[in-house]
Amino acid sequence: SRDGWRKEASASTAVDWKPTDWLKFDGAIRYTWTHSYDNNTNYGSILHNEEENSGWAPMMVATIEPWDGIQLYTKYSEAIRSPSLFESTTGFSFSPNPLDGVRPEHSRNTEVGINILQQDLMLAGDKLRFKASYFNNEIIDYLSRTNYPDVSVKNIDRALFRGFEASIGYDVGWGYFDIGGT
């Protein structure tokens, strides 16, 4: 079994600004700190993995609403994900190398899209929702497993996720449907 502890603290602040009826800006920043320690010595190791990580992650969004219920937006955000206790402690399925350690993932994400919300289209009180976007997410120091026989957790340089996402939904009060895909 795994045996370890983790402490985590974070603070964030956010602001939005709507200079006109059709233009809105959102911004936020988050600071995260984590400290974890592996107490486990059941697997023959006298070394203990210890991780202390911290970092800043900003987020910015610009939204234009040229017509009521139709929004065009662009978003840039970052996120820091420290290794979980499962990823930073020794156990049966895999273990981190205490000599190398594991670093937090740092993602940089961009998204461009459209949101549509229309009401009273076919019936009084009905709602149609549609969202479509393109995303480009790059994760530096992506946490991954190594292969057999030395199964462990390690950081790879980066992982890149790009693509399109869309969803549509219709709600009439007594029933609704939603469908989406990536």
Side-chain angles (χ1 to χ4, degrees):
S1 66
R2 295 178 184 274
D3 179 16
W5 54 261
R6 175 178 164 144
K7 297 176 183 177
E8 181 170 350
S10 66
S12 64
T13 187
V15 63
D16 63 41
W17 178 48
K18 194 166 184 174
T20 68
D21 289 345
W22 54 271
L23 179 62
K24 181 180 176 188
F25 297 100
D26 297 285
I29 191 160
R30 179 183 192 97
Y31 177 78
T32 303
W33 169 87
T34 60
H35 184 197
S36 63
Y37 187 78
D38 184 2
N39 293 319
N40 203 335
T41 57
N42 291 340
Y43 294 88
S45 176
I46 58 170
L47 299 172
H48 295 272
N49 189 51
E50 183 173 11
E51 303 291 336
E52 188 166 359
N53 301 298
S54 64
W56 295 92
M59 186 271 303
M60 297 165 277
V61 180
T63 305
I64 298 170
E65 189 169 1
W67 302 281
D68 190 36
I70 299 176
Q71 298 176 333
L72 305 168
Y73 70 92
T74 184
K75 177 180 180 179
Y76 174 80
S77 64
E78 294 184 20
I80 294 175
R81 187 186 78 80
S82 290
S84 68
L85 265 179
F86 189 76
E87 293 165 324
S88 60
T89 56
T90 304
F92 169 71
S93 57
F94 64 86
S95 304
N97 181 341
L99 297 176
D100 293 335
V102 284
R103 296 175 304 282
E105 295 177 341
H106 189 152
S107 66
R108 292 174 177 89
N109 313 306
T110 55
E111 184 177 342
V112 177
I114 184 170
N115 292 317
I116 299 174
L117 175 60
Q118 298 294 309
Q119 298 182 35
D120 302 322
L121 287 175
M122 293 184 274
L123 300 170
D126 70 353
K127 295 177 186 165
L128 174 71
R129 292 179 299 280
F130 174 77
K131 178 180 180 173
S133 65
Y134 169 77
F135 60 88
N136 182 18
N137 302 336
E138 181 180 30
I139 304 172
I140 306 299
D141 288 328
Y142 187 79
L143 287 161
S144 182
R145 291 188 192 195
T146 60
N147 291 328
Y148 182 82
D150 182 26
V151 180
S152 66
V153 154
K154 72 172 201 165
N155 293 95
I156 60 173
D157 290 338
R158 71 182 209 144
L160 185 60
F161 302 92
R162 288 185 182 145
F164 295 93
E165 180 177 41
S167 64
I168 189 167
Y170 182 71
D171 187 343
V172 292
W174 52 266
Y176 68 91
F177 83 89
D178 283 303
I179 189 167
T182 302

